[in-house]
Amino acid sequence: MSAELVLSNARIVLEDDIVSGSVLIRDGLIADISEGATRTGEDFEGDFLIPGLVELHTDHLEQHYSPRPGVRWNTIAAIQAHDAQVASSGITTVFDCLRMGADEDGGFEHGEMRAMADAIQEAEREDRLRAEHLIHLRCEVSADNVLEHFADFEDDPYVRLVSLMDHAPGQRQFQTMDQYTLYYQKKRGLSDEAFALFVARRQADSARNSTRHRNTIAKVCAERGVTVASHDDATLDHVDEAIGNGVRLAEFPTSFEAAKASHQAGMSVLMGAPNIVRGKSHSGNIAARDLAGKGVLDVLSSDYVPLSLLHAPFVLADELETISLPKALAMVTSTPARTVGLDDRGCIAVGLRADVVRVRRASGVPVVRGVWREGRRVA
């Protein structure tokens, strides 16, 4: 006998419209969408029914695994805590970021991220997880040991996204030394002399490693069919480099010029949902809302605040006349799913996975009132 579920009296957010009606779920898939009232099923009382959110870039797991400097938490416990928070935020598919390559900013020892990935897969086998967890490898291409870390994930089917990052000073995220000084010297309490040596070492590492490591990792990803992301592109040269490396996702471009060029080249431009909620970047770069207003923002990421992924689309729809709620929600559902080749989810449409979320929102911060993953209630 097939398992059926009816969600009724809902405002159903489709890709280009909002309709009142009900959704029939059968065997984990959306079987029917009907407009109008129905007497059966769970009564949504006029709440929104939206697709499950798809999160491509979150460092949130790190905060649970290493909640204080030098502290390491039990990996399964860290994953469960992280999973509970993302699922209760309406996220049904999450790409957990794992750092590849350690530098003077710290990072993790060789083998720690492999152990974390193993724990994610163990937690899934033991049915501990509400959301579906996939892996996003954040590769610091300037680091001497990034290829050694990356090699630990050879042929791992959970790896579906790899980003190419270079956080050396004077470029990309830190185009000005004022930003870099604030972020590193003041945070670390370095003297001017010690900071000058720190900067010189980081710049030397970048000059020695970045191009070679970037090209090597991009080639491996192309051979394996793994989506590649660029990170913090600031110039047209950076965008050209990304095009050459087969990049499909432009994460956090730091200038309008780079964002526009990436969008026009067919990449999905990703910015942080906290940037939308706060109205500005935490590092002083371009505001995501400005990119949205100019039509060159495609994807949002919660980055470091899981609930922001649900909150930000409502902020955009409230504040920008050119962006409807369906269009804003596509930035956290259908567009990220398609960017990484997950064509079975991201929309409320017949035949797709029944990853759906019940949301109540009269004003302000939306409230998640129910989450279903493949038709199974998980929150």
Side-chain angles (χ1 to χ4, degrees):
M1 179 182 293
S2 62
E4 289 193 345
L5 171 68
V6 177
L7 307 177
S8 64
N9 192 21
R11 283 182 287 170
I12 306 165
V13 181
L14 306 175
E15 279 204 276
D16 55 3
D17 197 8
I18 301 176
V19 300
S20 295
S22 63
V23 169
L24 170 65
I25 295 169
R26 181 182 298 123
D27 295 333
L29 301 178
I30 296 171
D32 185 59
I33 302 167
S34 302
E35 293 190 48
T38 178
R39 295 181 180 178
T40 62
E42 178 169 338
D43 185 355
F44 268 43
E45 303 173 330
D47 288 346
F48 289 109
L49 178 63
I50 71 170
L53 309 186
V54 178
E55 171 60 89
L56 297 185
H57 181 121
T58 176
D59 307 330
H60 192 248
L61 178 56
E62 286 187 8
Q63 298 173 26
H64 290 283
Y65 174 58
S66 182
R68 294 288 188 274
V71 173
R72 297 293 187 265
W73 205 247
N74 175 277
T75 52
I76 294 290
I79 292 161
Q80 286 187 200
H82 162 62
D83 173 72
Q85 191 165 353
V86 298
S88 65
S89 298
I91 298 167
T92 53
T93 302
V94 57
F95 282 66
D96 295 324
C97 288
L98 303 181
R99 280 201 243 180
M100 302 287 100
D103 53 29
E104 290 186 80
D105 188 32
F108 296 103
E109 296 297 325
H110 182 215
E112 283 190 87
M113 294 295 93
R114 181 62 261 175
M116 180 62 73
D118 291 341
I120 290 169
Q121 295 171 30
E122 178 184 350
E124 182 184 69
R125 287 193 300 271
E126 295 178 350
D127 195 25
R128 295 174 178 267
L129 303 179
R130 295 169 169 87
E132 179 174 359
H133 290 249
L134 298 168
I135 292 175
H136 172 173
L137 300 181
R138 302 172 66 238
C139 298
E140 187 63 42
V141 295
S142 62
D144 288 330
N145 57 2
V146 67
L147 295 184
E148 180 184 12
H149 289 202
F150 184 68
D152 287 345
F153 290 82
E154 184 177 5
D155 298 327
D156 187 330
Y158 279 68
V159 176
R160 302 290 294 269
L161 180 61
V162 169
S163 55
L164 307 173
M165 309 184 302
D166 185 350
H167 288 102
Q171 59 154 337
R172 297 185 187 264
Q173 182 177 358
F174 300 104
Q175 297 176 66
T176 70
M177 288 308 300
D178 288 344
Q179 293 172 324
Y180 199 79
T181 300
L182 178 66
Y183 196 81
Y184 284 98
Q185 184 177 14
K186 295 187 183 301
K187 183 174 76 169
R188 291 166 169 267
L190 299 175
S191 68
D192 290 344
E193 180 180 6
F195 181 63
L197 291 172
F198 175 79
V199 168
R201 286 194 295 269
R202 294 293 295 271
Q203 291 176 330
D205 289 344
S206 178
R208 182 177 64 255
N209 294 324
S210 288
T211 298
R212 176 171 55 88
H213 289 169
R214 190 182 299 274
N215 293 341
T216 298
I217 294 170
K219 181 181 178 183
V220 171
C221 290
E223 292 169 349
R224 291 175 52 188
V226 173
T227 302
V228 178
S230 63
H231 196 79
D232 295 332
D233 289 344
T235 68
L236 294 180
D237 285 343
H238 291 157
V239 176
D240 286 341
E241 179 181 60
I243 293 170
N245 282 322
V247 165
R248 293 181 59 190
L249 181 69
E251 293 188 322
F252 311 108
T254 60
S255 71
F256 175 71
E257 176 185 55
K260 181 180 178 181
S262 298
H263 181 81
Q264 290 178 338
M267 302 178 208
S268 293
V269 174
L270 177 150
M271 294 290 282
N275 187 317
I276 295 288
V277 174
R278 297 179 68 243
K280 60 183 179 179
S281 164
H282 76 276
S283 57
N285 290 312
I286 191 168
R289 202 173 308 183
D290 292 341
L291 295 185
K294 294 175 180 177
V296 294
L297 177 62
D298 304 295
V299 174
L300 290 171
S301 152
S302 73
D303 201 4
Y304 55 94
V305 182
L307 187 60
S308 69
L309 199 66
L310 179 63
H311 190 185
F314 285 91
V315 172
L316 283 178
D318 285 347
E319 299 186 357
L320 296 179
E321 291 184 3
T322 57
I323 297 184
S324 65
L325 183 59
K327 184 175 180 180
L329 283 169
M331 296 180 187
V332 297
T333 56
S334 59
T335 304
R338 289 168 182 165
T339 299
V340 295
L342 297 176
D343 298 325
D344 61 345
R345 70 198 74 182
C347 302
I348 296 179
V350 173
L352 295 190
R353 277 175 43 151
D355 292 356
V356 294
V357 182
R358 179 179 180 176
V359 177
R360 174 162 292 181
R361 201 262 189 170
S363 64
V365 181
V367 178
V368 173
R369 304 193 69 208
V371 181
W372 292 261
R373 174 186 157 202
E374 295 184 274
R376 173 187 176 190
R377 187 158 194 164
V378 295

